[in-house]
Amino acid sequence: MNENDKIKTNSLEAWVLAARPKTLSGAAVPVMIAAALALKTTGWQEFRLLPAILCFLFAFLMQIDSNLINDYFDFVHGNDDPATRLGPKRACAEGWITPGAMRCGLVVVSAAACAVGLPLVYYGGWEMVIVGAVCVLFAFLYTTFFSYRGLGDILVLLFFGIVPVCFTYYVIVPEHLKAIPWSVFLISVGCGLVIDTLLCINNFRDRHNDEKDGKRTFIVRLGEKRGAQLYNAVGSMGAALTMVVLLFTSRHSQIGIVCMFPLLVYVYKHSQSYIQLKETWEGKGLNKVLGMTARDMFIYGLMTVVAIYLSTL
């Protein structure tokens, strides 16, 4: 009996697989970092827990929504042929979820994300409605438009770095602190660069199929050698930017130097993943590098939170 026979169509198990739980760390990391930065600014007495929780839930639902959108529209466009696909299996392509059910799922998850995000208006003003609407809109546009034009990496920088870090920080801090410091913005850029490593390795693995399908990702445009170098560069630059910001915003210069050490754990792990990429280079073996990259990304989030805490000492 093969895997497809074990999974009942439109079952709970099928929906869990379609949601791709392993990708949720990409949604958690920016909010973790933003919450730590807000706590550094406010202290425990003025830290607002409820909007932080709502931001986590909104981020998780938007990540699931993006995964379902990607699953459905790649299936519709014929980009998820099970015979040639190198990455993890997709629900629609495998027949685990019917296209009609997936369309309903998209509506339900998008509506749930909006419902969770709506109370943030109380903490951040009506502009939060615009932020939420833009997040939902670009979740659709990423798969249907931007990824085919090599602009997916820019959207990752925006919607897994700048937007979640800056606006989560904004809704957590109290009214008299309502501003986004330059340090928060720069760390949000660093966060977006690190998370982009996941897209880079995904696109590196799929580069031949993407080129055949007319999907002009950065990796396809740059070519194999420079594409691998891009993977290494964005992770290293993201960590370096985070370390530099913490160095200059720590209360004492000696502490600023100490703050850099936790992030060196990420730099080491990322370098190992890059070496593994170069040793593997082709095929399904790159799924191991994808898993390593997801691990590295979460390590970056944890180590950044530790470094932010150290910077307050």
Side-chain angles (χ1 to χ4, degrees), residues 179-234:
I180 299 175
W182 65 268
S183 57
V184 172
F185 175 78
L186 290 178
I187 288 178
S188 76
V189 173
C191 177
L193 289 171
V194 168
I195 293 179
D196 189 47
T197 57
L198 202 62
L199 181 62
C200 286
I201 186 60
N202 187 77
N203 289 344
F204 187 86
R205 180 199 62 205
D206 295 339
R207 62 195 184 278
H208 300 307
N209 285 340
D210 286 344
E211 188 170 16
K212 181 183 66 177
D213 294 333
K215 204 171 183 180
R216 303 289 294 170
T217 64
F218 268 4
I219 302 298
V220 170
R221 292 175 184 273
L222 290 173
E224 293 181 345
K225 184 177 180 180
R226 286 187 292 179
Q229 292 170 347
L230 177 70
Y231 168 81
N232 185 41
V234 292

Side-chain angles (χ1 to χ4, degrees), residues 69-110:
I69 291 166
N70 178 255
D71 195 307
Y72 174 74
F73 283 101
D74 275 359
F75 170 73
V76 170
H77 291 151
N79 294 339
D80 274 342
D81 183 358
T84 60
R85 180 170 179 80
L86 297 174
K89 294 179 178 181
R90 294 291 175 253
C92 282
E94 296 294 331
W96 299 337
I97 296 177
T98 61
M102 186 63 83
R103 287 193 295 271
C104 291
L106 292 176
V107 173
V108 170
V109 177
S110 297

Side-chain angles (χ1 to χ4, degrees), residues 38 41-42 46-48 123 169-179:
T41 300
T42 65
E46 293 187 287
F47 182 82
R48 302 198 290 189
Y123 299 97
Y169 176 91
Y170 184 79
V171 298
I172 291 176
V173 298
E175 294 302 320
H176 68 279
L177 295 172
K178 279 279 187 265

Side-chain angles (χ1 to χ4, degrees), residues 210-268:
D210 286 344
E211 188 170 16
K212 181 183 66 177
D213 294 333
K215 204 171 183 180
R216 303 289 294 170
T217 64
F218 268 4
I219 302 298
V220 170
R221 292 175 184 273
L222 290 173
E224 293 181 345
K225 184 177 180 180
R226 286 187 292 179
Q229 292 170 347
L230 177 70
Y231 168 81
N232 185 41
V234 292
S236 300
M237 289 190 301
L241 180 58
T242 305
M243 286 191 282
V244 169
V245 173
L246 291 174
L247 175 64
F248 285 100
T249 58
S250 298
R251 292 182 179 176
H252 305 286
S253 58
Q254 295 90 341
I255 293 296
I257 295 172
V258 172
C259 290
M260 300 174 72
F261 285 97
L263 282 156
L264 291 176
V265 177
Y266 166 77
V267 173
Y268 172 69

